[in-house]
Amino acid sequence: MVRALALTLLAAAGPALADDEDAAALALADKAPTVAEHARDWRVSMQAAARESGQRSGNAADDAEFLALDMHYDRTFARNWRAVFADRLDLSWQRRLSNENTVNTLKDAYLSWQPQPDRIADLGRINTRYGVASGYNPTDYFRAGAIRSIVSIDPASLRENRLGSVMLRGQTLWSDGSLTGLYSPKLADRPNDGAFDPDVGATNHKNRWLIAASQRLSDSFNPQWLFSGEQGRAPQLGLNLTTLLNDATVAYFEWSGGRSPSLVSQALNRADDTAFRNRLASGLTYTTASKLSLTLEYEFNGAGLDRDGWNALRQGSPPAYLQYRTFVQTLQDLPTKQNAFLYVKWQDAFVIHFDLSAFERFDVVDHSHLSWLEARYHWNHVDLAWQWQLNSGDAGSQYGALPQRQIWQALITYFF
Amino acid sequence: MLALAGIAHTAPSAQDILAASDAIRNPGKPFGLTVTLLEYRNGKQSDSDALTVYSKADTNSGQFRSLIRFVAPARDANKLMLKNGNDLWFYDPSSKASIRISPQQRLLGQAANGDVVTVNLAKDYKADLLAEEDTQDGERQLRHCYKLALVATSVDVTYHHIEMWIDTGNSRPVKARFYSESGHHLKTAYYRHYQTELGVERPTETVIIDGLNPNWVTVMRYSNYAWRDVPDTWLQRDYLPRFKPE
């Protein structure tokens, strides 16, 4: 009875309460300042970081400090003409070696001409990227050799901080579809480690080409087909598919297939074992109403090693093992056949402007895993982040072989 | 009898009232504008964002398709979003990644409130006239309004049902309350500060009050209205990296 009375009184008070709340909100809005924000052609950020690591036995600590300047410029300088330039300068100091290192990464430097709304041509160094998966992108054909300096192992950072390839690219668009063709010629024989070298040899040491076509078939179905090739290799076919399963879930499928030798035969110059090989990454991203996003991905590399091959390499000659790992890392490929990837991001965790991110990479073949956690708080112009990485696994496994067992990193980024 | 038939014939239907109010908020041709969002929590400003939006109504569905470029804050500057029904794509020029996002994921960002701006409610909701009543508008003036109850006819919409107050004299939207399927009050919006933009008196500010926490208030301001040519060929994922508003 008392409860019913209370509910009745509450219901009666409801509209009045709402009116008061609305009046308070409108009064607040009356006092809101006038903010004039203008689009800018440039974006510049500066980052400072300090890293501490816990080493496996026998490895010396490689604690270090970092400073980075990142800039992006995109300007329409004449009717139908646009210039794009993106560059990152990384400075690092390794305490143990008293070693200072400078690496400049020229990400983009190209001109774009759009003579008609649906026809575009680009010429220059372009960081072109394909793929809908989160942790492994088999159709990202221009990723090989593109990373000069690993800033963070966060997949988003690996995609961002890399060299573009010099190319001529053309695109035509129609309603709900487009066709892109590009040609990236050989311009140098080998990479150049010079600090400020444009390092064209890292990305343009072979003639390469790519054709991409997409057609939106419905709200939920928008496939993209790719056909890519490089000098001395059979062409590869690629497919990117995404679909919306429900209001909160996106499913994706990324596949690349074609005749190619295995990674181990390429890395160690073994007998040609060319065969049709598939690479794929497929997963789901689910987002909750409480701002939590979860991505679970399965990754398959048909050119990587299976359990027997991987065990044989791990137990064999150390130089051959090292050569294989270095080769695969340069290609940004997976050393073993099967992996899994879990990514979790919680935006505004506990308090607003505080984000928690974590990912787990699991090698299904050798059961080693990499765990990564980031806590990030952001103000209007400043981000403060703390990152932790744990590499676990047996000796010689994908993640157990890394010299650091744990890495802690604190970063501060200022956005100008 | 004839007189009654005459009134019945000339009185607008609830759906017509809603469509007329849509036309006040949404220009009839492709257009662009700048949206500034100021977010307040417990009386203090917690966020400030700005977006440039190019919008065009789809000839089939009547619903708006939009290309959105983030202007501020600096960390998000030049990021892009495509909204084409529930086909939603996010593009970051740094990572060159076009990521498909779900409607729920879109709600994480500030642009989520953009759907209060360019949405043709009459296309996705069935309207019923509940009453004619006086209600206070965003300027604290009493307005004589149609009170409409809108129920979603499409499963793709963010809000299951809406209560909307529309000025009987000029079809201006005055106030709306948005609800989830379970009946939770999600937000209240006041459309105010009417000014002539692209030939029609349109609201240049929407004050959004969170339904669960009324101390969470977002002030959305619209400026730089202009007619813009938005070819159909631009409203797709593959054009996102190319989009650069004037």
Side-chain angles (χ1 to χ4, degrees):
Chain A
M1 172 96 175
V2 174
R3 187 167 175 270
L5 182 63
L7 284 174
T8 308
L9 287 171
L10 191 65
L17 275 176
D19 287 348
D20 288 349
E21 286 158 353
D22 289 6
L26 291 169
L28 184 67
D30 288 341
K31 288 183 274 180
T34 304
V35 184
E37 297 281 3
H38 300 286
R40 293 185 303 191
D41 292 327
W42 54 269
R43 195 158 53 107
V44 177
S45 66
M46 191 166 229
Q47 188 177 68
R51 185 177 72 193
E52 298 270 341
S53 56
Q55 303 291 310
R56 293 181 200 284
S57 56
N59 292 303
D62 70 341
D63 301 338
E65 279 87 43
F66 304 88
L67 195 62
L69 180 68
D70 198 294
M71 70 97 63
H72 186 269
Y73 180 78
D74 180 342
R75 182 175 170 79
T76 304
F77 64 92
R79 190 175 156 77
N80 302 333
W81 285 90
R82 196 165 155 183
V84 179
F85 180 82
D87 189 86
R88 182 182 175 97
L89 178 65
D90 284 292
L91 308 171
S92 63
W93 294 268
Q94 282 179 293
R95 282 180 229 153
R96 176 174 63 90
L97 302 169
S98 302
N99 187 22
E100 186 182 318
N101 197 22
T102 302
V103 179
N104 188 69
T105 304
L106 180 59
K107 299 192 275 191
D108 283 307
Y110 66 94
L111 290 175
S112 189
W113 178 48
Q114 189 167 3
Q116 298 170 35
D118 54 359
R119 297 260 198 289
I120 305 151
D122 309 298
L123 178 66
R125 185 161 219 172
I126 305 170
N127 183 2
T128 188
R129 180 180 170 269
Y130 290 94
V132 290
S134 297
Y136 174 55
N137 292 112
T139 65
D140 184 14
Y141 295 111
F142 286 79
R143 70 188 186 280
I147 291 188
R148 291 202 95 197
S149 168
I150 295 179
V151 179
S152 163
I153 57 154
D154 180 4
S157 170
L158 294 175
R159 285 193 279 266
E160 184 174 333
N161 301 305
R162 73 183 207 185
L163 296 165
S165 298
V166 179
M167 64 179 68
L168 174 65
R169 182 172 70 178
Q171 185 179 29
T172 181
L173 303 127
W174 58 90
S175 187
D176 293 332
S178 88
L179 180 70
T180 301
L182 66 86
Y183 179 70
S184 174
K186 176 181 176 178
L187 297 172
D189 289 326
R190 60 188 62 83
N192 185 321
D193 289 341
F196 288 94
D197 195 279
D199 205 1
V200 169
T203 54
N204 288 76
H205 57 275
K206 281 179 179 175
N207 295 320
R208 293 181 294 174
W209 54 268
L210 180 140
I211 296 165
S214 67
Q215 177 63 50
R216 182 170 177 263
L217 301 173
S218 72
D219 252 16
S220 60
F221 199 58
N222 188 354
Q224 179 184 57
W225 289 95
L226 299 115
F227 195 45
S228 165
E230 64 180 52
Q231 200 177 339
R233 278 287 150 74
Q236 304 288 305
L237 192 61
L239 174 65
N240 281 303
L241 273 180
T242 58
T243 193
L244 196 61
L245 297 185
N246 56 42
D247 246 22
T249 314
V250 171
Y252 57 83
F253 176 84
E254 180 173 346
W255 167 82
S256 175
R259 290 182 62 76
S260 74
S262 67
L263 288 173
V264 74
S265 82
Q266 294 175 64
L268 307 180
N269 294 316
R270 289 183 181 170
D272 185 9
D273 58 357
T274 295
F276 192 95
R277 298 181 195 279
N278 295 291
R279 287 174 166 90
L280 74 86
S282 185
L284 297 169
T285 297
Y286 172 72
T287 307
T288 71
S290 53
K291 299 190 173 186
L292 189 74
S293 270
L294 295 114
T295 299
L296 182 61
E297 179 175 301
Y298 169 75
E299 301 164 348
F300 178 81
N301 177 11
L305 286 167
D306 59 14
R307 192 181 306 272
D308 291 344
W310 185 226
N311 285 341
L313 187 70
R314 287 166 64 187
Q315 287 152 16
S317 134
Y321 174 83
L322 187 63
Q323 196 172 328
Y324 179 72
R325 294 297 304 262
T326 308
F327 179 80
V328 173
Q329 188 181 353
T330 303
L331 293 183
Q332 292 195 68
D333 217 329
L334 299 170
T336 57
K337 266 198 160 58
Q338 294 189 77
N339 285 259
F341 176 70
L342 172 70
Y343 195 98
V344 182
K345 181 163 186 177
W346 186 12
Q347 190 179 312
D348 294 336
F350 307 113
V351 289
I352 58 165
H353 300 156
F354 180 67
D355 299 341
L356 283 174
S357 307
F359 71 78
E360 178 82 11
R361 287 190 180 278
F362 179 71
D363 188 317
V364 178
V365 172
D366 66 21
H367 296 175
S368 67
H369 58 102
L370 184 158
S371 313
W372 182 88
L373 179 71
E374 181 191 82
R376 180 176 289 264
Y377 191 85
H378 58 87
W379 291 267
N380 228 8
H381 284 274
V382 179
D383 267 22
L384 191 61
W386 176 83
Q387 297 172 342
W388 172 74
Q389 179 184 336
L390 175 69
N391 305 315
S392 312
D394 296 336
S397 61
Q398 182 174 177
Y399 301 110
L402 299 174
Q404 307 91 352
R405 177 159 168 71
Q406 290 191 76
I407 298 171
W408 299 269
Q409 189 160 267
L411 305 97
I412 184 164
T413 310
Y414 187 86
F415 299 90
F416 291 90
Chain B
M1 180 82 175
L2 277 175
L4 278 174
I7 290 167
H9 181 71
T10 52
S13 72
Q15 210 65 28
D16 290 342
I17 295 167
L18 184 60
S21 132
D22 281 343
I24 298 268
R25 283 186 299 108
N26 304 319
K29 290 189 294 181
F31 68 100
L33 83 167
T34 302
V35 183
T36 309
L37 298 105
L38 297 165
E39 193 180 308
Y40 290 84
R41 296 209 183 193
N42 301 318
K44 288 188 177 165
Q45 190 182 323
S46 57
D47 264 313
S48 165
D49 304 76
L51 325 160
T52 304
V53 182
Y54 276 32
S55 252
K56 180 184 194 175
D58 183 74
T59 43
N60 297 322
S61 70
Q63 235 10 304
F64 277 90
R65 299 184 289 170
S66 300
L67 281 161
I68 297 155
R69 189 168 186 129
F70 294 78
V71 174
R75 121 179 3 84
D76 295 324
N78 299 333
K79 291 179 181 172
L80 299 140
M81 201 170 82
L82 168 71
K83 182 179 184 299
N84 191 355
N86 267 350
D87 193 14
L88 298 157
W89 290 85
F90 182 79
Y91 178 80
D92 183 344
S94 300
S95 63
K96 312 278 180 181
S98 290
I99 300 165
R100 184 165 190 165
I101 57 173
S102 60
Q104 182 79 32
Q105 243 170 320
R106 183 177 62 92
L107 292 176
L108 303 191
Q110 273 298 351
N113 279 319
D115 56 17
V116 182
V117 197
T118 54
V119 64
N120 265 332
L121 296 169
K123 301 287 180 188
D124 285 336
Y125 290 85
K126 184 186 175 298
D128 275 316
L129 181 60
L130 293 182
E132 279 190 34
E133 63 182 30
D134 290 336
T135 194
Q136 209 168 56
D137 69 4
E139 260 59 74
R140 280 77 139 200
Q141 304 292 317
L142 272 186
R143 300 275 169 203
H144 190 64
C145 292
Y146 297 115
K147 183 182 178 186
L148 302 185
L150 317 184
V151 177
T153 52
S154 158
V155 292
D156 293 341
V157 296
T158 312
Y159 310 104
H160 181 261
H161 59 277
I162 302 171
E163 287 176 327
M164 190 147 197
W165 286 261
I166 294 168
D167 194 313
T168 56
N170 51 25
S171 301
R172 287 180 181 177
V174 170
K175 182 170 83 169
R177 288 213 172 99
F178 299 86
Y179 296 88
S180 69
E181 190 171 3
S182 56
H184 284 112
H185 175 205
L186 297 175
K187 59 177 79 163
T188 298
Y190 281 89
Y191 305 91
R192 63 180 205 165
H193 294 181
Y194 276 81
Q195 288 174 22
T196 302
E197 298 285 359
L198 301 178
V200 174
E201 294 248 321
R202 304 182 196 279
T204 59
E205 186 171 295
T206 306
V207 180
I208 298 164
I209 306 155
D210 191 77
L212 301 174
N213 181 359
N215 289 318
W216 187 1
V217 177
T218 305
V219 181
M220 296 179 67
R221 291 192 178 134
Y222 319 122
S223 56
N224 303 328
Y225 270 98
W227 299 119
R228 297 288 182 201
D229 185 25
V230 187
D232 281 342
T233 52
W234 290 12
L235 294 159
Q236 58 173 305
R237 168 191 61 193
D238 290 351
Y239 192 75
L240 259 186
R242 307 289 191 173
F243 177 58
K244 194 156 193 281
E246 287 174 38

